Amino acid sequence: MLQRFLRHIETEKRYSVHTVNAYKRDLEQFSDFVKINYEINDLLSIDSEIIRSYIINMKDSGLENRSVNRKISSLRTFYTYCIREKEIEISPLTEIKSLKQPKELVKFVPEHDMQNITFEDSEDFVIRRNELIIEILYQTGIRQTELRALTDADIDRNKHTIKVLGKRNKERIIPIERDLMMLIERYIKLRDKQFPERKNVKLIVNDKGGETSPKFIYTIVHKILMEVTTVEQKSPHVLRHTFATHLLNRGADIRAIQKMLGHNSLSSTQVYTHNTIEKLKDTYKKAHPYGDK
């Protein structure tokens, strides 16, 4: 049943490889737990008491509530699928609630830190490529997987837009500024000169002209952010947070940001409003005569 479920989310739901592997890992860990502790090999024979025992075990092992909730979510999705396939009638998670977890502000890079990012003005392919990676992530808010999937054909030079293929193969169009378009064109000329016979059609390529990996993009972003900011998270995804937060702080409409980020639900975008509220509080404390009372 587990393999059927994994094929379902990979082929029908079109989840990313990373997401499928996360589900696989969570469900295999749970399967190992029930085999060892209850000598049960069939995940369809599980009841709510075993689920509760598993949650207690995860907490006792030191897992934070956020991580426990993610694993609960994986189990919930799996058993919902089992009900749909008529393998079971009731999910063992029906009465299981997620653990409470403190709300954390989304981490982002301050504007003044982003402004401190500079690149040498040269015709060096690597420098221009690394610059473009940072600028596209920051100016469009796309995910690193979406960046890696971009092709030259996704760039509309006349309309100044890029076409992004998001989660579940959902397309969205994002506007880009003239300066970013110029960076793209400059980079493409250097890339094609560097690798005139390359077979890879992706916009961003590695040092050998091939496709990039998540680790490759992460390493570049992390190294550059290390030079300008003390923010703990220095990943491609923090630039997505930074994009959304900076737009909100400057008064952008949250629904427009939702569309650019590719969020299905507005609630997913609203997490960034907490940063805006905190900024308002900080401004009040610094500017109002009674702010420090």
Side-chain angles (χ1 to χ4, degrees):
M1 193 64 197
L2 175 56
Q3 293 305 317
R4 281 171 56 191
F5 168 73
L6 294 174
R7 284 196 299 271
H8 166 71
I9 62 175
E10 180 179 9
T11 59
E12 295 184 35
K13 291 292 187 180
R14 297 184 181 277
Y15 287 178
S16 69
V17 174
H18 174 77
T19 301
V20 172
N21 287 337
Y23 272 105
K24 183 175 185 291
R25 184 169 55 250
D26 290 344
L27 291 167
E28 287 179 345
Q29 287 175 357
F30 177 63
S31 179
D32 290 341
F33 172 81
V34 296
K35 284 178 185 177
I36 294 171
N37 293 278
Y38 295 93
E39 298 183 350
I40 296 176
N41 294 314
D42 184 8
L43 291 181
L44 301 180
S45 303
I46 304 301
D47 58 29
S48 59
E49 289 305 314
I50 293 178
I51 300 291
R52 290 191 179 93
S53 175
Y54 181 55
I55 293 173
I56 292 171
N57 178 267
M58 288 190 287
K59 286 299 298 176
D60 288 344
S61 68
L63 276 185
E64 296 183 356
N65 287 7
R66 183 181 299 278
S67 298
V68 173
N69 285 341
R70 185 180 62 79
K71 294 180 183 296
I72 292 174
S73 177
S74 294
L75 293 177
R76 201 182 303 280
T77 303
F78 170 71
Y79 284 110
T80 298
Y81 171 76
C82 292
I83 291 175
R84 198 196 80 170
E85 294 295 300
K86 299 185 178 177
E87 296 289 342
I88 58 175
E89 293 183 0
I90 301 175
S91 169
L93 286 97
T94 300
E95 299 180 358
I96 302 296
K97 295 182 179 180
S98 297
L99 305 181
K100 291 184 178 180
Q101 55 191 48
K103 291 184 178 180
E104 296 182 5
L105 293 179
V106 175
K107 302 296 189 297
F108 68 97
V109 182
E111 284 191 40
H112 56 80
D113 286 348
M114 290 302 302
Q115 292 169 359
N116 286 334
I117 296 177
T118 58
F119 293 89
E120 179 185 345
D121 186 14
S122 75
E123 295 304 299
D124 182 87
F125 162 74
V126 172
I127 291 177
R128 298 282 70 82
R129 191 267 320 281
N130 294 355
E131 177 185 28
L132 187 61
I133 288 173
I134 293 293
E135 293 300 331
I136 289 181
L137 290 173
Y138 175 51
Q139 293 193 41
T140 67
I142 64 175
R143 304 173 179 91
Q144 65 87 9
T145 52
E146 296 168 342
L147 170 71
R148 292 172 47 237
L150 286 179
T151 67
D152 290 13
D154 293 323
I155 311 299
D156 191 321
R157 305 188 187 195
N158 295 320
K159 296 181 179 179
H160 284 198
T161 60
I162 61 172
K163 181 174 66 177
V164 179
L165 189 63
K167 290 184 176 180
R168 300 174 181 83
N169 288 339
K170 185 178 179 181
E171 286 187 358
R172 65 186 190 277
I173 304 297
I174 302 176
I176 58 177
E177 293 295 328
R178 181 174 177 273
D179 287 348
L180 180 54
M181 181 60 72
M182 291 174 64
L183 284 178
I184 293 173
E185 291 177 344
R186 183 182 184 185
Y187 158 79
I188 287 176
K189 288 180 180 178
L190 290 172
R191 181 204 61 194
D192 292 349
K193 181 179 179 181
Q194 185 92 353
F195 309 105
E197 298 180 359
R198 71 185 182 94
K199 296 181 180 179
N200 172 37
V201 298
K202 298 296 170 57
L203 174 67
I204 304 296
V205 300
N206 60 27
D207 294 349
K208 296 182 179 180
E211 292 192 18
T212 59
S213 66
K215 182 179 179 181
F216 180 84
I217 300 297
Y218 175 87
T219 301
I220 290 172
V221 172
H222 186 270
K223 181 180 179 181
I224 292 170
L225 291 183
M226 277 287 291
E227 298 174 355
V228 298
T229 186
T230 58
V231 172
E232 184 178 351
Q233 296 178 8
K234 301 179 180 67
S235 65
H237 208 69
V238 84
L239 290 179
R240 179 171 166 86
H241 297 326
T242 302
F243 163 82
T245 302
H246 289 181
L247 284 178
L248 272 174
N249 285 343
R250 288 176 172 266
D253 180 78
I254 191 170
R255 292 194 178 276
I257 297 173
Q258 176 192 358
K259 289 182 179 180
M260 286 188 282
L261 290 176
H263 286 160
N264 289 325
S265 170
L266 185 62
S267 61
S268 299
T269 315
Q270 286 175 331
V271 297
Y272 299 106
T273 62
H274 298 303
N275 289 322
T276 304
I277 293 171
E278 290 302 311
K279 181 180 180 181
L280 289 173
K281 288 180 180 178
D282 184 57
T283 301
Y284 175 84
K285 289 179 181 179
K286 292 179 179 178
H288 197 278
Y290 293 163
D292 58 351
K293 292 188 178 182

